[in-house]
Amino acid sequence: MTTTPAFKFMKLPYLARRHVVSVMTTNEQTPDYFEATIQGQIICLDTNLEDMKHLKLVFLPELSLGSCPVPVTPLVVKSAISCRGCELEKAEFSTRDWIDHLVDIFHCKTLKLIFDQGSAYYDLVSIRNLFQGFNIIGLAIQDTNREHALKILRMFQPVRQLSIIRVLFETNDMRELGGVVYQNYDYFKTVASVAVEMTDMDSTILEIWRPNMSTMDLNAFIRRWMAGNIRNLNLQTLTVSIYRAYLPVNYQQQIFHEIRHSVVKKDRYKEFRMPIDTVLWKNVGEIIGQYEIEGENGRKATIQLDVQGLDLRFKFVVGQ
C-alpha cells in the first residue's frame, strides 16, 4: 500500500499559496480560530491545522515592564511546519501585515488571546490595537502578576472563554473579580488563582485545579446538583483536579457517601464527547471508575474518576 506524501503548503511562495487557497474548499483551509500567545519577546500565532502549526514573531529584547508598545516590525519570523522550523523573509511586512497575511490565507478572524509569562512588558492598548477587528472569543492569563492580570480583565471583557492560571490575587481583588468570574461562560478554568464556589458558577464547561479540595466538598456538590439547588443550570461538564496525596484511602466511599448511584461496569465505560477538547480530557492515565446519578428533576449525570500523574480528576458530565 502506498501513501501520498504530505503537502508542505507553507513552503510554497506567497503567490503559489494564494493560488492553492483559491482552489481549496472551506473545510480544507479554515481553522476554527487562531491562538495568539504573548510571551516576552515573542508573539506566537497558532492554528489547529496540520500544515501550519504556528507562526512565531520574534522582537528585539529591549523591553521595559508595562510601557513597551508592540514593535511595528518583528526582528525574525519563524514558521513551524510539520514540526520542522524555518524562517520567513518579508522585509516590507509589519507585525500587523503578518497577522493579516494569515487571515488572508486561512479566512479566519476569530481569536483566543493568551497572556503568558513576560506579557506584562507590553502596553495593553497596543495589544488591543494589534488585533483590532478580530472576534476575541477567549482569554487566558497565566504566570503573570496580579496588577497586569486585572488590567487585562478590564480591557478585554466580555469573552466566551476564560482561563486564569497561577495568578496570585489578593483577597480584596475578589470584590472586582467576582463580577468577572461568576459570568455565564462557555468555558471557565482556574488553576491556583481564584477560589470559586462550584455551585455558584454559571459556566457551561468548568475546570478547577484545587489541590486541597476535600471529598466532602465533592459530596456536597453532588447532593446540591441532585436536589436542583445550584445556580448553574447550563452546566455540561465540571472537572476538578486534586492532589492524590491529599486524599484518604477511602476517598471513593466518601465522595458517594449516602448518595444514590450506580456503578458502570468497566466493559461499558462511556466515551464522552467534549465540546472543547482540553488537556484534562485528552490525557488520562487510568480510569478508576464511572458512576451514574439522577437528580430529582430527572436529569442524569455520569461521574468519572481518573488519574494522571499526581492528580485525581473528578469529572462530572451531564446528559451523556
Side-chain angles (χ1 to χ4, degrees):
M1 180 178 177
T2 60
T3 58
T4 303
F7 178 53
K8 307 298 185 182
F9 173 72
M10 287 300 291
K11 286 188 176 180
L12 293 174
Y14 175 68
L15 292 178
R17 291 201 300 274
R18 289 292 301 275
H19 174 70
V20 171
V21 166
S22 69
V23 297
M24 282 181 171
T25 67
T26 302
N27 288 338
E28 290 175 312
Q29 59 175 296
T30 306
D32 297 324
Y33 56 85
F34 289 115
E35 281 188 355
T37 303
I38 302 155
Q39 185 180 36
Q41 289 82 35
I42 295 170
I43 293 180
C44 190
L45 299 165
D46 290 89
T47 76
N48 58 346
L49 302 180
E50 291 298 323
D51 265 355
M52 206 306 253
K53 284 296 185 184
H54 66 242
L55 190 71
K56 190 177 289 186
L57 308 177
V58 183
F59 302 106
L60 290 171
E62 290 84 6
L63 297 176
S64 299
L65 191 65
S67 62
C68 180
V70 177
V72 174
T73 305
L75 179 66
V76 178
V77 178
K78 297 182 179 181
S79 175
I81 306 166
S82 301
C83 300
R84 300 174 64 182
C86 69
E87 291 189 8
L88 305 178
E89 294 184 3
K90 202 75 174 172
E92 69 274 22
F93 267 28
S94 68
T95 302
R96 177 66 196 222
D97 287 337
W98 281 110
I99 294 171
D100 289 339
H101 178 55
L102 294 183
V103 171
D104 191 29
I105 291 173
F106 295 113
H107 298 263
C108 178
K109 295 199 76 172
T110 303
L111 182 69
K112 295 183 182 181
L113 265 178
I114 302 172
F115 290 88
D116 207 338
Q117 187 175 19
S119 61
Y121 285 107
Y122 293 111
D123 170 60
L124 287 177
V125 173
S126 72
I127 296 291
R128 183 183 62 189
N129 293 342
L130 181 64
F131 295 104
Q132 188 172 10
F134 277 82
N135 176 25
I136 300 176
I137 61 167
L139 191 63
I141 307 168
Q142 58 192 47
D143 298 311
T144 191
N145 64 73
R146 57 172 287 276
E147 294 89 351
H148 183 55
L150 289 170
K151 289 177 182 177
I152 294 168
L153 290 171
R154 294 181 193 120
M155 183 168 290
F156 291 97
Q157 287 286 337
V159 291
R160 298 306 308 153
Q161 302 174 21
L162 178 63
S163 300
I164 305 176
I165 301 170
R166 293 181 296 274
V167 180
L168 299 178
F169 292 107
E170 297 178 357
T171 303
N172 290 338
D173 294 333
M174 282 308 298
R175 295 177 183 175
E176 180 174 351
L177 286 172
V180 173
V181 169
Y182 293 107
Q183 292 184 26
N184 179 12
Y185 293 104
D186 293 336
Y187 171 77
F188 179 84
K189 177 179 181 178
T190 177
V191 176
S193 298
V194 183
V196 297
E197 293 294 334
M198 294 183 293
T199 53
D200 292 336
M201 298 299 296
D202 199 19
S203 298
T204 304
I205 301 170
L206 180 60
E207 294 188 352
I208 301 172
W209 185 81
R210 280 179 60 184
N212 59 349
M213 183 177 286
S214 72
T215 55
M216 294 299 100
D217 290 332
L218 298 176
N219 180 276
F221 170 80
I222 298 171
R223 288 172 180 274
R224 290 188 63 176
W225 183 89
M226 293 177 71
N229 188 23
I230 65 170
R231 174 186 174 189
N232 189 359
L233 300 178
N234 299 315
L235 180 69
Q236 291 183 11
T237 65
L238 163 68
T239 306
V240 181
S241 191
I242 311 167
Y243 275 150
R244 283 191 284 168
Y246 291 173
L247 293 170
V249 175
N250 64 336
Y251 67 87
Q252 294 178 64
Q253 290 84 354
Q254 290 189 11
I255 291 173
F256 293 100
H257 180 64
E258 295 186 351
I259 289 176
R260 187 177 66 256
H261 68 281
S262 60
V263 179
V264 180
K265 293 182 179 180
K266 193 170 184 179
D267 61 353
R268 294 180 178 271
Y269 279 174
K270 299 178 181 180
E271 292 186 10
F272 298 106
R273 302 180 305 278
M274 292 297 105
I276 297 178
D277 195 12
T278 68
V279 172
L280 290 177
W281 285 93
K282 285 180 180 177
N283 303 327
V284 176
E286 178 188 1
I287 297 177
I288 301 299
Q290 288 187 354
Y291 314 85
E292 294 178 337
I293 62 171
E294 183 173 341
E296 293 179 0
N297 55 7
R299 298 185 73 195
K300 296 181 180 180
T302 302
I303 297 168
Q304 176 172 301
L305 300 179
D306 62 52
V307 295
Q308 176 70 21
L310 300 176
D311 291 340
L312 172 83
R313 283 92 66 88
F314 170 92
K315 296 176 177 177
F316 188 94
V317 183
V318 178
Q320 289 193 35

